[in-house]
Structures are given as structure tokens and as C-alpha cells.
Amino acid sequence: MDVSIGGAARASGVKVPTIRYYEQIGLLPVPQRTQANRRLYAPQELRRLRFIRHARELGFEVEAIRTLLALQDRPDHSCEEADRLAREHLEQVERRIASLSALRRELMHMVEGCSHGRVAQCRVIETLDDHSLCAHHGESE
Amino acid sequence: MDVSIGGAARASGVKVPTIRYYEQIGLLPVPQRTQANRRLYAPQELRRLRFIRHARELGFEVEAIRTLLALQDRPDHSCEEADRLAREHLEQVERRIASLSALRRELMHMVEGCSHGRVAQCRVIETLDDHSLCAHHGESE
DNA sequence: CTTGCTCCTCTAGTCACTAGAGGATGTATC
DNA sequence: GATACATCCTCTAGTGACTAGAGGAGCAAG
């Protein structure tokens, strides 16, 4: 039923040292140990790990995840906080998408413009050199 | 004509300690100094700084910028390398946009689904808990 | 019994900055 | 000329979220 840290890594997609790191910073509870001092993870911890991994993939910071996990542990509590975190995060994500889309246009411009000739004519360099050619003026991240 | 490090910071949008850091890692050449040992930047260095800033904003890593700067210094050389860097970066950016768009859908789903009730029914938590609800399977960054 | 894998702890490194200490210099005002 | 304050200098250490490596112990298969 319970698995080793390697098994947990395979089951969750989180690397072994990262699992230990999460334990160290208190994102994961201190796990059971075998007699030989090896970590043992129960299904519940694996779920927690997957939760963390998913949230990290979605770009939530560790501190936000800490809050989400604390919320998760109190299912009767109002989800106001989780909602707020998700909303804030959504805004951030939308800003990032806008910024990356501008960048994408610019990069496409660059590689289209590159005539595979000499550097002097290459838009990749030119575009980076002259911000005024850039698609996202006055934008900040 | 030449400006102090503070002036360079204002002109380029790169912070003073960051300029010194760039010098330290060899991204900027060692600048001239006044008699009182203060750095002096000529227009050329300011251009270089803006180039770096722009490239960093666009998400290029310092090592990539180092390469781009080296290329820029040899305008007669083929721009193959710059082209390759830009293409690679474009791919990365497109993956990131796709990933963030999926995330955006998911987060919108989350906050829409949130009935402002108990955590137990909150999609924000639920969605993070169950990767199968997630919009971007099998995607990797 | 040996080989090879996984596990343990611990420290240090990564990237791209950022912050702070402690001191020198430059500029503006009284 | 004195004083105040901004700006500059160097240097060290801290950040977030890991990642790598040293040095050693345990375990299962052949």
C-alpha cells in the first residue's frame, strides 16, 4: 500500500530530491519511516504530492500552495480565500499571456524577416536592438 | 555625452545594481571611469544595455543574450545562429502560451465554478486535486 | 558474497538578480 | 565654508525553487 520515495516520485511525477525538499520546507508532512529509516508514503500523501505538482505546473507559487493546502485541510471552511487566490492568479496569467503573445508576434516577425544572410540584415538582432519595432510598448510584467 | 551609472539606469530601464551585475558576469564591457572611480557609459553601452533589457524582457536567458551580443559584434557573420536561437525561443514561447491558455481556461472554470460555499465543493481545490479535470494532459514544459 | 540499485543526510551550486553594510564623492542650500 | 542629501563605490549575503554531488547504509538478485 505504502510506497518508497522513489515510488512516490514515479506516482506523482515529482522528483525524489524535490519531494525531500518539499518536506524540508514543510509543504509535505514528515512521513512515516521504515525500520531502515526510509520514507514511506501513503495514498493520501501521494494525492497531496499530485496536488502540489499540478498547482506548481499551473504556476502557483509555493506560498500560495501552502495556503491552498491549509484550506483543503478544512473542508467546512468557506472557500473565499481559495477563490481569491485563483482570481489573482488568473489575472497574472492573463497578463502573462498578453505579454507572451506580443513576444510571439515579435519573434515570428524576426524569423520571417531573417533572410538567412548576414547578421547585419537579420531582424532577430535588429528587433532586439530597437525597442520601437517591438509590439509591446509600455507594457510591463 | 557619457553618463553615470544612475543615468544609464534611467536611460535603459535596467537598475543600477543589475548594471553592475551585468558587468560582473561579463555581459557588459568594463566601462571607463572618472577620476573619482565612477563608471561612465557612452551611447554605445546604453544601446547594449537596452538590447539586453529587451532580450531579457522577451525571456531570453543571459547565455542566449551573450551569444546574440557576440553575433552582433560580427555583422559579417551568417545569422544562422541568431535565427536558430529565435526559432527555438519562438517554440518555447508558443508552448508556454498554449500551456497558459489551458491554465487560463482552467482557472476561469475554477472561479466560475466556485459557489462561494464550502471548500469541499470548491472547484479551485477540486480541480487542483484531480489532474484528470485538467485541460492540458500530457503536456510538458 | 558481490553487484548494483535505491535510499539516507548534508552541503553547496544554479539563475538572475536584490538587499544591505559601510564608506567616499558630488551637488545644492544656508 | 558647513551641512544635508543623493549618488556612487565595493563587498557579502539572501531570494525562490529547486538540482547536484559527496559519502555512506540497506536490500534484492544472481
Side-chain angles (χ1 to χ4, degrees), chain A:
Chain A
M1 194 86 243
D2 295 359
V3 297
S4 70
I5 195 168
R10 280 187 292 279
S12 67
V14 180
K15 285 178 198 154
V16 169
T18 307
I19 295 177
R20 285 196 280 250
Y21 168 72
Y22 285 159
E23 181 186 331
Q24 192 195 306
I25 62 169
L27 210 57
L28 276 181
V30 174
Q32 270 193 285
R33 299 273 181 144
T34 66
Q35 286 190 319
N37 197 32
R38 293 173 175 218
R39 290 169 178 84
L40 268 188
Y41 296 93
Q44 205 193 341
E45 267 102 68
L46 297 185
R47 270 202 305 282
R48 201 176 173 99
L49 254 181
R50 278 194 295 269
F51 181 97
I52 295 170
R53 188 204 161 193
H54 191 184
R56 283 294 298 137
E57 266 175 10
L58 295 189
F60 283 90
E61 289 178 6
V62 164
E63 280 320 298
I65 296 174
R66 209 186 284 280
T67 310
L68 288 170
L69 281 167
L71 290 168
Q72 199 187 27
D73 290 342
R74 288 171 296 149
D76 290 338
H77 199 268
S78 154
C79 71
E80 223 176 288
E81 179 79 1
D83 187 35
R84 195 181 55 75
L85 277 174
R87 271 175 208 283
E88 264 179 37
H89 196 59
L90 177 57
E91 268 174 47
Q92 238 187 63
V93 165
E94 288 185 331
R95 274 199 303 278
R96 227 176 271 177
I97 288 175
S99 187
L100 281 172
S101 298
L103 163 55
R104 185 169 152 276
R105 278 196 297 280
E106 205 172 336
L107 283 168
M108 285 175 74
H109 213 96
M110 279 186 187
V111 295
E112 273 165 27
C114 177
S115 49
H116 306 285
R118 305 289 118 193
V119 169
Q121 288 93 49
C122 182
R123 289 198 56 97
V124 176
I125 301 256
E126 196 190 322
T127 307
L128 285 172
D129 213 11
D130 182 0
H131 206 120
S132 68
L133 296 173
C134 170
H136 60 130
H137 298 288
E139 227 174 80
S140 57
E141 147 75 345

Side-chain angles (χ1 to χ4, degrees), chain B residues 38-103:
Chain B
R38 293 173 175 219
R39 290 168 178 84
L40 269 188
Y41 295 93
Q44 204 193 341
E45 268 103 67
L46 297 185
R47 270 202 304 283
R48 201 176 174 100
L49 253 181
R50 276 194 296 269
F51 181 95
I52 294 171
R53 188 206 160 191
H54 192 184
R56 284 293 300 135
E57 265 175 11
L58 296 188
F60 283 91
E61 290 178 6
V62 165
E63 279 320 299
I65 297 173
R66 209 187 286 280
T67 310
L68 287 170
L69 282 167
L71 290 168
Q72 200 187 25
D73 291 343
R74 288 172 295 147
D76 291 337
H77 201 267
S78 153
C79 71
E80 226 175 283
E81 179 80 0
D83 186 37
R84 196 181 56 72
L85 277 174
R87 268 174 210 283
E88 264 180 38
H89 197 62
L90 177 57
E91 269 173 47
Q92 241 187 61
V93 165
E94 288 186 330
R95 274 200 303 278
R96 225 175 272 180
I97 288 175
S99 185
L100 281 173
S101 298
L103 162 54

